[in-house]
Amino acid sequence: MGGGEIVNTGDYKNARRLGGLIAKEGWVLLNGGRASGIMEASARGAKENDGLTIGILPGNDPAWSSEYIDIPILTGIGFARNYINVLTSKVVVALPGKTGTISEIALALNIGKKVISLNFNLGPLFKNYEEEKQLIYVKQPEEVISLIKKILKSDFDKGVGKYV
């Protein structure tokens, strides 16, 4: 998850790199699907590495979809689509954004999902989740992949979810 606004070069590069790493793991990248910002960068990175991308779009206009999204899902429900993003994701990774991204983080934490924040400092607002290791801060895309693997293995060991 991350902002649709113009992002700085470092955030764009991190999102693109992360998308590529996700694809290399054989995982599906799901994001907000728009042709801008973090969403565009992560989908681009995944597509450059032969990954599958799904975009959950807020509106009903397919023109909003990034060219790097394989499966655009038009919802017509605006920001309520953030809940679909969170519920559909096994792990939520947040990169810099604004209120939409923060709402996705809050929704994920409220339903007990792990959130990995890549260079997106949320300040003291979510401090208790950080202390409980539900919100984890990292600096590099490679750290995100390592943490996702640990989370998925832990869930698998607990019998949570189906893995084939």
Side-chain angles (χ1 to χ4, degrees), residues 11-163:
D11 291 337
Y12 186 92
K13 286 180 181 178
N14 278 336
R16 188 172 172 186
R17 174 87 177 124
L18 180 60
L21 292 170
I22 287 169
K24 286 178 182 178
E25 290 296 328
W27 300 332
V28 175
L29 179 106
L30 179 143
N31 68 23
R34 290 181 33 217
S36 61
I38 296 294
M39 294 174 271
E40 175 97 342
S42 61
R44 180 178 180 185
K47 290 311 305 166
E48 290 171 341
N49 289 276
D50 300 317
L52 177 64
T53 59
I54 299 173
I56 311 294
L57 291 139
N60 57 7
D61 184 354
W64 271 47
S65 180
S66 165
E67 68 182 284
Y68 304 108
I69 293 296
D70 295 310
I71 304 170
I73 298 175
L74 306 175
T75 67
I77 59 174
F79 285 118
R81 72 79 144 90
N82 290 355
Y83 207 65
I84 295 169
N85 289 349
V86 169
L87 285 173
T88 306
S89 300
K90 186 69 179 165
V91 178
V92 173
V93 180
L95 284 84
K98 292 185 177 179
T99 56
T101 305
I102 293 169
S103 76
E104 289 166 326
I105 293 166
L107 289 167
L109 293 171
N110 280 338
I111 62 173
K113 297 227 179 199
K114 294 276 189 184
V115 176
I116 302 169
S117 180
L118 177 59
N119 295 318
F120 187 25
N121 187 341
L122 298 164
L125 185 59
F126 297 107
K127 189 71 171 168
N128 60 321
Y129 293 100
E130 183 182 356
E131 291 167 358
E132 295 169 7
K133 306 288 186 218
Q134 191 180 346
L135 172 62
I136 306 160
Y137 288 101
V138 299
K139 299 274 185 202
Q140 299 296 324
E142 292 78 9
E143 292 175 273
V144 172
I145 299 302
S146 177
L147 282 168
I148 291 172
K149 286 179 178 180
K150 288 178 185 175
I151 292 165
L152 294 177
K153 175 152 181 18
S154 174
D155 284 355
F156 180 78
D157 290 344
K158 291 177 192 172
V160 177
K162 294 181 181 178
Y163 298 89

